[in-house]
Amino acid sequence: MANVAELQTLQPLIPTFSLAHQKVELDIDLRARRLKGRTEITINPQSKELKTVRLNCRQCIITRITANGKTCSSFTYEELYKKAALRWEAGVHQHHMLRRKIEAQLKSPPEEELVINLPKSVRIDDLDPFSLASAAPVGTRSSVGIHDNLGEPSSARTAVEQERRFTPVVVVIEYSIPYIRDGMHFIGWEEDELRYPHAYTKSFAAPGGSCCLFPCVDDLAARCTWELSIKCLKTVGDAISHPSNVVNGTGGTVNGVHNDTTKPPIDHLQSNMNADDKALELAVICTGDMTDEVDDHMVPPRKTSTFFCSVPLSARQLGFAIGPFEHVDLAEFRDSVEDDKLGQNAVPLHGFCLPGRAAEVRNTCLPMARAIDFFTLEYGSYPFSNYKLCFVDDNVPDITHTGYLSLCSNSLLFPEDVLEPLEPVSRRMIHALASQWMGVNVIPKEPSDTWVVVGIAYFMTDAFLKRLFGKNDYGFRQKQATDRVADLDIGRPSIYDTGNLIDLDPFEAEFLALKAPLVLSILDRRFTKIGSASGLSRIISRVFLNAKVGDLANGAISTAYFAKTCERLGHAKLEAFFTQWVYGAGCPRFRVSQRFNKKKNVVEMIIQQIQSEPPERDLEKETFLRDVKEEKQDVFAGPVQPCFTGPMTICIHEADGSPYEHLIEIKEVNTKIEILYNTKYKRLKRSKRQKDRNATAGATEYNPEENNDVLLYCLGDVLQSEEEIQQWRLSDWAKEDEDKMSQESYEWIRVDANFEWICKLSVNMAGYMYLSQLQQDKDVVAQLESIQFMAVQKEHGLISTILLRTLMDTRYFHGIRTAAAAALVKHAREGDMDWLGLFHLEKAFQHFFCYNDSPMPRPNDFSDRAAYYIQCAIIRAIAKVEDGRGRSPIRARMFLFDKLKFNDNSDNQFSDAHYIATLMEALSEAMASKPPPGHDAEDTFTFAENDGDDLRFHKSCLEQIDRYRRTDEWLPSYHNILSRTALNATRTLALAGVIDNNPASIIQYTRDGTADELRLCAFDNLFQMGLHKHDALLGWFLFAMGTDPSPVFRQQAFRLFGQLLGGIAIGQKASGTETPEQEDGGLIIERDDASTIARKADLARRTTVHGALAALKTEIGDNETLKKGLWVAISSPALSFREMKELLDICTFLYEPESSMRLILKYPRCWSCKKIGKAKLCFQQTEKIRTKPLAKQSLPPPPPLRLHLAAAQGQQAPLSRSPTLKREGSSASTGAMPPPPPAAQRRPLFKPPRRPSEGAEGMSPAVASPTTTTTPVEGERPRLKIKLKIGPPKPAGG
């Protein structure tokens, strides 16, 4: 009997196809946000039995489909956005019902919405191998829809299938989109917008993005060549004046209905623009090379731009923008030397921006020309013919990576006079360029292979930034990234598994971008160590070459392929490396102990790895949503590595000052090694060195040959004279420490000297060894390790002296100096330290930035960027100085106030907005640590000492902060940094009780029309102040989050909402602290079992996801405002599909599902009846609503029938006893009987009497209601109405 695997191989594959070429034609109405489109898809069948073509298609109305010219009348299409709604009065408890309707589109790749059945007349025949159609290689086309019988994608085709080729099928789809909800973003086309009108495609990186504009195969691996034709109006004036309410060409009104009595509406959008703005020509910036641009002579004039992509791309890698863009030639910044080297291979580089921002584009993109030349020479030729950067508003994410083109947000632009964004923005722009090589041209084969693409792109970025900013900046940032990875990579999955979680939460992509390039960096250093001169660069260039020549199938790289290439070109076995760093999780932690053995003349070392299970950590509001998603998705931590193995370099700086490197191999958890000692010199005593320095105080250099000593001091040897020591209150080593130093045989030991590990190190060296490492090691990583060691030591005057000298020595890298300034805060204590650290910080600031012997600051001069960073670092450090009660001393507050008040930027060529924001933030932080004067009971008897800490000083500080806030309203700073800082300061002071809590001063910034960053800052501060408990504010925020047209605002608002939920879930109060337990002298008093249960619940909500969710449901689960606001946001047409999914995820863990359908029936209205004459009645509904059901009406049982039928016998009955006859429409009868009708027309006057059993009890309310008069039909003979008086029967003979 055949097993399952054999059955799978025997059963035939479902017929599939591959993409060869796709042509897209779009006619876009920018003002109305709609388009008409036509796409032509050329597919290569992989089987003659292909009968069905499945495509992704959203928000489209299909009008016509043909295959090889034959009409396809049989196709199924279900529009997603019509399906993604519940048509009844639903709520948040029906979230599962809505999610079930769109579950198929949440997959990756999503299920196809358009299924086309090919007509029987479309024949698929074998292709002549000698024809032109068979010349294209199969390797350049991707297979689509290859599935086995179990529904899993097939990995490859057989050799026979690869050789067999069939005639192509051309599928043509004509469609329209009446309103573009997703896929494109439109800016400036509304009447209340003042920005330049433009539009662009949203990011297609996520599944389901590209198919919103045209039918396609929405899969990253489905790649082919493209031809894009985009038609739009020619100028801005034409686009905004083009009537947007024309339907079917019927004129300027809806449905072509004209009303001459109505005045035409005023178009405020046209009135907001002058003639020059209206004359701006709309440009189309698109993926590919422009092949044609044709203007037509229609009214208004239109133009069609055509682009061709010769390099196969997927639909997700396409993008375009339409707007009045200015062109900036970025190639003008190319170095002449690089230009000569490249010659004809120099890549054209273009920048596009909205009018008036060309100077910012030149400043922001200044290094791009050098970067593209560096990548071309280092890693291989650029994969496309040109590179374009287009800057637009409100782009999410900030940079969208498409072929040939990067769509960038205008928030990245910065002018020449702003220093702060220089390094972070430059790194992002360089990474956008590197992603053209790795990310667009080369893609991951599987989601788990994403780490290769992300890691190589950032590795290339860091390689260029190392050349741009220098080795010190590169090493400093690598060390910071390593420390952060070691802190974050606890209980996390491996980077290989993280690729499958990219769409789960933004943190997954951030963590991958942090760790993946570090893994490649240590791999590069290991290659360099074993003798490979080019390291990893050679391997990366080979990958690009293989992708270019077709050896890398479909341009998709896998982890196995990358590992095999590294082993082949690096000549090393890397199985253990990839097992530990790629497929494994976590980082090693080393504890190193060492001692010198004089008998053996060796250094004995023990290197111990400490690997343990991840400790239980407290939940944080910033990561709460990510923790919940990972808990719901069963994301497990990677296996903890019992032992990390590999080479490690140990560098011993011996007594002669020379470093001796020793390469060891870590193979076990505990590694014991003996390193031979080389130097016979004794260690130079510091006291003798000090005497030599004092003797040569005026010399600029120290000559070791004259003193026959070894030069040990390189850095930090400032402030050495006796006078400076007295003025700066410096300390020196004690005699006992000098004796110990004189007995040491080496200066210091560096473990992992070449930075080959991502790890945490703890080396038990003495403090003076770390000082030697700080002063004598040129490696910035070693210097930072020394600063980190001193920052955790107990406060001491000697450590403060060392840190001060580091801060004062301008030869240190500015990152080391800023770290030293931050470490000085610990030594700014009262008591024995006598505020020594604060004195050193003030003295350093006065030395660098104030007039001589005066605290008055000099005018700002930010031409030295390193000095600017030091100036800001000292300000931040002084703000953190506290006394024993945790309060900032008046001395520190007055220092900050003076620097803010007397700031002078008149002669500075750079903006001081960020510096003022630093001062405002520091001053508010210092003020918040102490209650205002008159509100502190502890200061009752200290006011006699006039230290300046009075109410006048307090008000002056507040006035300075408010002054800059008002200034920013008239002269906006870069990204409104001053206003945002003022709002943060207001919140900080209000929570500390320094000022009155006045939310109205912040709420005004949440209005529509406020800058997005400032508006988000206002909401954030209001939430931190605890105002989310007010339903009005919460409802306003949810409404803004669901309806704001800016995707940037919606994304950041969702982030704030997640933090708000996280803060409520873990019990974080408005002040940022949790409710303290009841204490008495540090002891927790447990009063009863209820208190114990409450404490356990509080602990569970802070440490476990289940406990936090339970607390969250208890606190806000019944909030009706939150329920209504969330569902309104989910139902909003402004939200994209992914944003709807994110909100549904919140409803999933916040509300229990209820499978119910709430129906709303309108109350019945009362009717009125009006007689209009001629036997006609008019019935109309009134405004009166009946809210109560009518009571059941019943007729009394009829009495026995008593009739006098004398008239029937020819006799006249008494008038009182005779029936009263009334003709309809006539006056009341006087008792005279009308003449009877002819016998043929006679009708029975009476029905048989109803039996008593058939009375009102068996009648429905409708029957029991009074008889309704109906209007007679015209031409019909009027009927008689007979009123009968029915009494008891008359006795016989009476």
Side-chain angles (χ1 to χ4, degrees):
M1 182 177 180
N3 54 26
V4 177
E6 294 175 351
L7 291 175
Q8 294 179 10
T9 57
L10 293 176
Q11 293 183 2
L13 297 176
I14 298 176
T16 57
F17 61 90
S18 62
L19 297 177
H21 180 73
Q22 182 165 355
K23 181 180 180 180
V24 178
E25 299 176 1
L26 302 177
D27 186 357
I28 304 177
D29 186 346
L30 297 170
R31 183 82 184 268
R33 301 189 182 188
R34 62 189 176 201
L35 65 81
K36 291 183 179 179
R38 179 182 181 275
T39 183
E40 180 180 305
I41 308 175
T42 303
I43 63 176
N44 289 329
Q46 296 178 357
S47 172
K48 287 186 177 181
E49 287 74 24
L50 179 66
K51 300 299 180 183
T52 303
V53 176
R54 307 176 68 91
L55 300 174
N56 297 101
C57 182
R58 297 181 182 179
Q59 72 181 6
C60 298
I61 298 177
I62 307 297
T63 57
R64 187 168 180 263
I65 301 178
T66 62
N68 287 349
K70 309 295 179 57
T71 302
C72 299
S73 57
S74 175
F75 66 90
T76 59
Y77 172 62
E78 188 173 10
E79 210 284 292
L80 172 65
Y81 291 100
K82 291 183 179 179
K83 184 174 65 172
L86 301 181
R87 300 304 177 185
W88 62 88
E89 190 69 18
V92 290
H93 291 284
Q94 284 75 47
H95 58 83
H96 64 294
M97 305 177 73
L98 178 58
R99 192 181 187 91
R100 191 182 305 122
K101 298 180 69 175
I102 61 176
E103 192 70 33
Q105 277 67 37
L106 298 179
K107 301 177 182 178
S108 181
E111 290 188 5
E112 299 83 357
E113 296 86 2
L114 177 60
V115 180
I116 304 172
N117 298 319
L118 298 179
K120 295 182 179 179
S121 58
V122 176
R123 297 184 56 185
I124 301 176
D125 300 324
D126 290 325
L127 186 65
D128 183 5
F130 300 101
S131 63
L132 295 177
S134 63
V138 178
T140 61
R141 303 169 185 176
S142 61
S143 297
V144 178
I146 301 180
H147 290 75
D148 54 24
N149 59 315
L150 297 180
E152 296 295 332
S154 177
S155 58
R157 296 180 296 163
T158 63
V160 177
E161 289 175 327
Q162 292 181 3
E163 294 177 358
R164 185 183 303 165
R165 305 292 297 276
F166 303 96
T167 54
V169 177
V170 179
V171 178
V172 179
I173 304 174
E174 297 178 3
Y175 63 97
S176 64
I177 302 178
Y179 185 82
I180 301 176
R181 172 178 174 175
D182 205 354
M184 284 189 70
H185 183 54
F186 298 82
I187 298 173
W189 302 100
E190 299 294 337
E191 293 185 356
D192 56 345
E193 291 192 75
L194 301 178
R195 294 181 288 182
Y196 282 102
H198 60 288
Y200 58 90
T201 54
K202 294 182 180 179
S203 174
F204 293 161
S210 56
C211 59
C212 292
L213 298 181
F214 50 86
C216 62
V217 178
D218 192 357
D219 190 358
L220 188 61
R223 313 179 85 184
C224 64
T225 57
W226 293 80
E227 183 179 352
L228 303 173
S229 295
I230 301 174
K231 177 185 286 188
C232 64
L233 293 171
K234 191 173 183 180
T235 65
V236 173
D238 297 333
I240 64 176
S241 62
H242 186 58
S244 59
N245 54 352
V246 176
V247 179
N248 299 326
T250 54
T253 56
V254 179
N255 297 325
V257 179
H258 296 272
N259 189 354
D260 296 335
T261 62
T262 303
K263 296 182 180 180
I266 299 176
D267 195 343
H268 297 282
L269 182 58
Q270 293 194 54
S271 61
N272 292 335
M273 292 188 178
N274 54 34
D276 294 337
D277 292 336
K278 293 180 181 179
L280 293 174
E281 185 174 352
L282 292 176
V284 180
I285 315 301
C286 182
T287 298
D289 297 308
M290 179 179 286
T291 59
D292 195 10
E293 188 173 56
V294 179
D295 296 342
D296 58 28
H297 301 287
M298 298 176 61
V299 178
R302 308 172 72 89
K303 69 175 183 179
T304 303
S305 302
T306 304
F307 301 84
F308 185 78
C309 303
S310 58
V311 179
L313 297 173
S314 67
R316 297 186 189 178
Q317 297 172 329
L318 304 179
F320 62 86
I322 306 174
F325 297 113
E326 294 181 358
H327 175 254
V328 179
D329 186 10
L330 299 178
E332 64 184 11
F333 300 107
R334 177 171 281 125
D335 292 341
S336 58
V337 177
E338 302 293 339
D339 198 6
D340 295 338
K341 289 182 180 179
L342 294 172
Q344 297 295 329
N345 295 326
V347 181
L349 196 60
H350 308 282
F352 298 92
C353 64
L354 296 175
R357 312 203 71 168
E360 296 181 8
V361 171
R362 290 187 178 92
N363 183 70
T364 305
C365 302
L366 183 64
M368 298 301 291
R370 293 182 57 188
I372 199 170
D373 294 341
F374 172 81
F375 290 154
T376 302
L377 295 174
E378 187 75 13
Y379 302 107
S381 61
Y382 181 65
F384 307 107
S385 58
N386 60 76
Y387 181 55
K388 293 168 282 191
L389 290 158
C390 185
F391 291 87
V392 295
D393 289 334
D394 299 340
N395 191 27
V396 176
D398 287 338
I399 300 179
T400 302
H401 308 294
T402 67
Y404 299 79
L405 169 67
S406 292
L407 292 173
C408 308
S409 174
N410 278 330
S411 61
L412 297 175
L413 295 177
F414 62 96
E416 295 181 356
D417 60 346
V418 178
L419 292 176
E420 291 288 339
L422 176 61
E423 294 182 1
V425 171
S426 297
R427 188 170 192 264
R428 303 189 69 175
M429 299 303 298
I430 301 303
H431 175 258
L433 176 60
S435 298
Q436 295 292 311
W437 272 271
M438 181 61 71
V440 178
N441 182 43
V442 179
I443 60 175
K445 186 175 183 179
E446 299 292 341
S448 55
D449 302 318
T450 307
W451 78 271
V452 182
V453 174
V454 174
I456 292 180
Y458 276 105
F459 179 85
M460 296 169 60
T461 303
D462 293 336
F464 174 74
L465 292 179
K466 182 179 181 180
R467 172 175 294 190
L468 183 65
F469 294 128
K471 294 182 179 180
N472 285 339
D473 181 87
Y474 173 78
F476 185 80
R477 296 188 181 280
Q478 288 285 98
K479 174 60 178 174
Q480 287 182 323
T482 299
D483 293 341
R484 179 163 174 76
V485 168
D487 294 334
L488 292 177
D489 199 4
I490 299 176
R492 301 286 312 156
S494 65
I495 58 175
Y496 182 81
D497 296 329
T498 303
N500 298 314
L501 310 174
I502 289 295
D503 297 332
L504 184 64
D505 190 80
F507 173 81
E508 312 296 342
E510 294 172 3
F511 179 77
L512 200 61
L514 186 66
K515 185 177 180 180
L518 286 178
V519 172
L520 295 182
S521 297
I522 63 176
L523 179 61
D524 176 63
R525 293 186 181 93
R526 294 191 181 184
F527 281 143
T528 306
K529 182 67 67 175
I530 62 178
S532 179
S534 57
L536 194 61
S537 300
R538 179 188 174 194
I539 298 171
I540 295 176
S541 60
R542 177 60 65 88
V543 170
F544 294 149
L545 179 61
N546 292 345
K548 184 176 182 180
V549 300
D551 291 344
L552 195 61
N554 202 30
I557 189 172
S558 65
T559 303
Y561 176 87
F562 179 69
K564 183 179 179 180
T565 305
C566 291
E567 288 183 344
R568 185 175 68 254
L569 300 180
H571 307 289
K573 294 294 184 180
L574 300 174
E575 181 180 357
F577 178 87
F578 279 84
T579 300
Q580 296 170 10
W581 297 104
V582 176
Y583 300 106
C587 298
R589 283 162 172 77
F590 293 109
R591 182 180 299 167
V592 182
S593 59
Q594 42 76 32
R595 72 183 185 91
F596 180 69
N597 191 327
K598 293 184 179 180
K599 294 182 178 180
K600 296 182 179 180
N601 198 30
V602 296
V603 178
E604 299 176 344
M605 300 184 65
I606 299 178
I607 302 176
Q608 181 183 8
Q609 288 194 46
I610 306 172
Q611 306 295 96
S612 59
E613 293 295 331
E616 185 174 321
R617 63 177 180 87
D618 290 345
L619 298 177
E620 300 177 358
K621 69 175 185 178
E622 290 79 9
T623 60
F624 172 72
L625 282 186
R626 186 247 301 175
D627 293 333
V628 173
K629 292 177 183 178
E630 291 179 348
E631 184 78 15
K632 297 297 183 181
Q633 295 291 334
D634 295 329
V635 177
F636 300 103
V640 178
Q641 298 293 317
C643 177
F644 283 83
T645 61
M648 178 180 288
T649 302
I650 296 178
C651 183
I652 300 180
H653 292 255
E654 300 184 2
D656 62 350
S658 301
Y660 292 89
E661 291 189 354
H662 305 273
L663 184 63
I664 65 171
E665 190 74 23
I666 303 295
K667 297 180 179 180
E668 299 176 353
V669 175
N670 295 321
T671 303
K672 297 181 180 180
I673 57 174
E674 293 183 351
I675 300 176
L676 184 63
Y677 192 73
N678 299 284
T679 305
K680 297 182 180 179
Y681 297 100
K682 291 184 178 180
R683 193 174 190 273
L684 183 63
K685 293 184 180 180
R686 295 180 184 271
S687 59
K688 184 179 184 300
R689 183 71 182 91
Q690 182 68 35
K691 294 177 182 178
D692 294 340
R693 183 179 298 107
N694 294 337
T696 59
T700 58
E701 294 183 358
Y702 172 73
N703 189 356
E705 298 179 358
E706 298 178 358
N707 297 282
N708 296 323
D709 290 328
V710 180
L711 178 61
L712 301 180
Y713 290 82
C714 296
L715 300 174
D717 54 351
V718 296
L719 304 177
Q720 296 290 343
S721 66
E722 292 295 338
E723 182 182 359
E724 290 174 332
I725 291 175
Q726 294 296 328
Q727 291 180 354
W728 292 77
R729 295 168 56 185
L730 304 180
S731 302
D732 205 347
W733 294 96
K735 188 176 184 304
E736 294 79 6
D737 296 326
E738 294 243 359
D739 294 339
K740 290 181 180 179
M741 287 187 286
S742 63
Q743 299 301 322
E744 293 290 348
S745 301
Y746 48 86
E747 290 289 327
W748 74 94
I749 296 178
R750 281 284 313 279
V751 180
D752 189 24
N754 290 336
F755 208 39
E756 299 168 300
W757 292 73
I758 306 174
C759 63
K760 282 283 189 179
L761 278 171
S762 175
V763 185
N764 65 337
M765 289 195 307
Y768 47 79
M769 292 187 177
Y770 277 104
L771 173 61
S772 299
Q773 178 174 308
L774 173 64
Q775 294 179 337
Q776 300 176 41
D777 202 322
K778 297 180 180 180
D779 189 359
V780 69
V781 176
Q783 298 169 5
L784 183 58
E785 289 175 352
S786 299
I787 295 294
Q788 291 174 344
F789 170 81
M790 296 180 185
V792 297
Q793 301 304 310
K794 186 178 180 181
E795 56 269 13
H796 194 277
L798 180 59
I799 299 179
S800 183
T801 299
I802 296 171
L803 295 174
L804 173 64
R805 284 173 171 161
T806 304
L807 175 62
M808 297 298 295
D809 195 342
T810 57
R811 294 171 294 176
Y812 278 108
F813 177 65
H814 66 79
I816 303 299
R817 298 173 66 193
T818 56
L824 274 170
V825 176
K826 190 172 184 179
H827 306 278
R829 295 287 186 270
E830 56 184 348
D832 296 338
M833 294 299 297
D834 192 20
W835 304 108
L836 181 60
L838 177 59
F839 172 77
H840 285 164
L841 288 171
E842 293 175 340
K843 192 76 172 175
F845 191 93
Q846 180 181 354
H847 175 80
F848 286 120
F849 312 110
C850 296
Y851 291 105
N852 294 333
D853 300 328
S854 173
M856 181 64 63
R858 294 194 300 266
N860 294 331
D861 182 11
F862 298 156
S863 57
D864 186 353
R865 192 161 55 94
Y868 168 74
Y869 291 148
I870 300 303
Q871 188 172 356
C872 294
I874 295 177
I875 294 296
R876 296 190 188 97
I878 292 178
K880 298 182 180 301
V881 175
E882 298 174 349
D883 59 12
R885 296 178 297 174
R887 298 178 176 182
S888 175
I890 181 59
R891 173 177 162 188
R893 282 177 282 145
M894 293 188 70
F895 175 89
L896 297 173
F897 171 75
D898 290 340
K899 302 306 175 286
L900 180 61
K901 181 179 180 180
F902 299 109
N903 177 69
D904 183 7
N905 202 60
S906 57
D907 297 332
N908 190 15
Q909 61 177 333
F910 296 98
S911 170
D912 63 344
H914 285 86
Y915 176 64
I916 293 175
T918 302
L919 284 169
M920 294 170 61
E921 182 180 2
L923 182 58
S924 63
E925 182 181 355
M927 292 177 61
S929 64
K930 184 182 184 299
H935 293 74
D936 189 4
E938 299 182 14
D939 291 345
T940 304
F941 301 101
T942 60
F943 62 89
E945 182 182 355
N946 187 12
D947 57 357
D949 192 7
D950 53 9
L951 191 59
R952 182 181 302 175
F953 171 74
H954 176 76
K955 291 182 178 179
S956 299
C957 294
L958 298 179
E959 290 175 357
Q960 287 298 319
I961 295 176
D962 191 63
R963 178 170 71 93
Y964 284 105
R965 180 191 63 81
R966 287 184 279 108
T967 302
D968 195 52
E969 293 180 355
W970 293 97
L971 298 174
S973 57
Y974 178 75
H975 288 190
N976 298 106
I977 181 66
L978 295 182
S979 296
R980 290 189 286 125
T981 306
L983 293 183
N984 295 336
T986 302
R987 179 252 307 164
T988 301
L989 297 175
L991 292 179
V994 177
I995 61 175
D996 295 334
N997 193 343
N998 183 19
S1001 61
I1002 302 179
I1003 290 179
Q1004 62 178 337
Y1005 290 97
T1006 65
R1007 296 176 298 181
D1008 285 333
T1010 308
D1012 289 341
E1013 289 179 308
L1014 187 56
R1015 193 180 181 197
L1016 290 165
C1017 180
F1019 275 120
D1020 186 18
N1021 285 293
L1022 290 172
F1023 288 158
Q1024 293 192 45
M1025 295 167 68
L1027 295 179
H1028 62 274
K1029 298 179 182 178
H1030 295 268
D1031 290 343
L1033 179 63
L1034 181 60
W1036 167 231
F1037 172 76
L1038 293 174
F1039 176 80
M1041 182 178 67
T1043 61
D1044 195 274
S1046 171
V1048 175
F1049 178 86
R1050 296 197 304 267
Q1051 183 193 56
Q1052 296 301 319
F1054 180 79
R1055 179 185 59 83
L1056 288 182
F1057 186 58
Q1059 293 182 5
L1060 173 63
L1061 296 179
I1064 298 174
I1066 64 178
Q1068 193 173 31
K1069 304 303 178 183
S1071 60
T1073 59
E1074 298 173 6
T1075 304
E1077 300 291 342
Q1078 185 176 1
E1079 298 182 359
D1080 187 9
L1083 299 177
I1084 299 177
I1085 301 176
E1086 297 183 3
R1087 298 185 181 275
D1088 49 22
D1089 294 339
S1091 176
T1092 304
I1093 296 175
R1095 287 198 310 107
K1096 290 182 178 179
D1098 183 71
L1099 179 64
R1101 75 186 301 180
R1102 288 187 285 110
T1103 56
T1104 64
V1105 173
H1106 293 290
L1109 287 179
L1112 183 63
K1113 293 180 181 179
T1114 302
E1115 294 202 15
I1116 64 172
D1118 297 330
N1119 190 311
E1120 293 298 328
T1121 302
L1122 179 62
K1123 290 181 178 180
K1124 294 179 180 178
L1126 264 180
W1127 193 252
V1128 168
I1130 291 173
S1131 306
S1132 171
L1135 261 62
S1136 65
F1137 185 73
R1138 287 186 57 82
E1139 291 169 333
M1140 179 193 298
K1141 171 185 174 298
E1142 295 292 339
L1143 293 179
L1144 284 176
D1145 290 340
I1146 292 180
C1147 294
T1148 301
F1149 64 76
L1150 196 57
Y1151 301 106
E1152 295 296 331
E1154 296 179 3
S1155 298
S1156 61
M1157 180 183 296
R1158 181 184 177 187
L1159 298 179
I1160 295 181
L1161 301 178
K1162 294 183 178 180
Y1163 283 121
R1165 295 182 180 271
C1166 296
W1167 289 77
S1168 65
C1169 178
K1170 183 178 179 181
K1171 181 179 179 181
I1172 59 178
K1174 296 184 179 180
K1176 294 182 180 180
L1177 300 176
C1178 179
F1179 290 85
Q1180 291 181 341
Q1181 278 190 338
T1182 65
E1183 297 297 328
K1184 184 178 179 182
I1185 298 176
R1186 181 165 56 87
T1187 59
K1188 296 181 180 180
L1190 293 176
K1192 291 185 178 181
Q1193 300 181 5
S1194 60
L1195 294 175
L1201 184 64
R1202 187 178 63 182
L1203 296 176
H1204 298 274
L1205 302 179
Q1209 300 175 359
Q1211 300 179 2
Q1212 184 176 0
L1215 295 177
S1216 59
R1217 296 293 182 181
S1218 63
T1220 302
L1221 302 181
K1222 180 180 179 182
R1223 183 182 301 274
E1224 188 177 40
S1226 64
S1227 59
S1229 175
T1230 58
M1233 293 287 292
Q1241 298 181 3
R1242 291 181 183 176
R1243 300 177 182 179
L1245 296 179
F1246 310 106
K1247 292 182 180 180
R1250 189 183 299 273
R1251 297 178 183 178
S1253 61
E1254 297 179 359
E1257 296 180 357
M1259 299 171 63
S1260 65
V1263 177
S1265 60
T1267 306
T1268 303
T1269 305
T1270 58
T1271 304
V1273 181
E1274 186 177 358
E1276 184 180 356
R1277 181 176 179 181
R1279 297 182 182 182
L1280 293 177
K1281 263 188 178 179
I1282 302 177
K1283 294 184 179 179
L1284 300 179
K1285 278 189 177 181
I1286 301 176
K1290 196 172 183 179

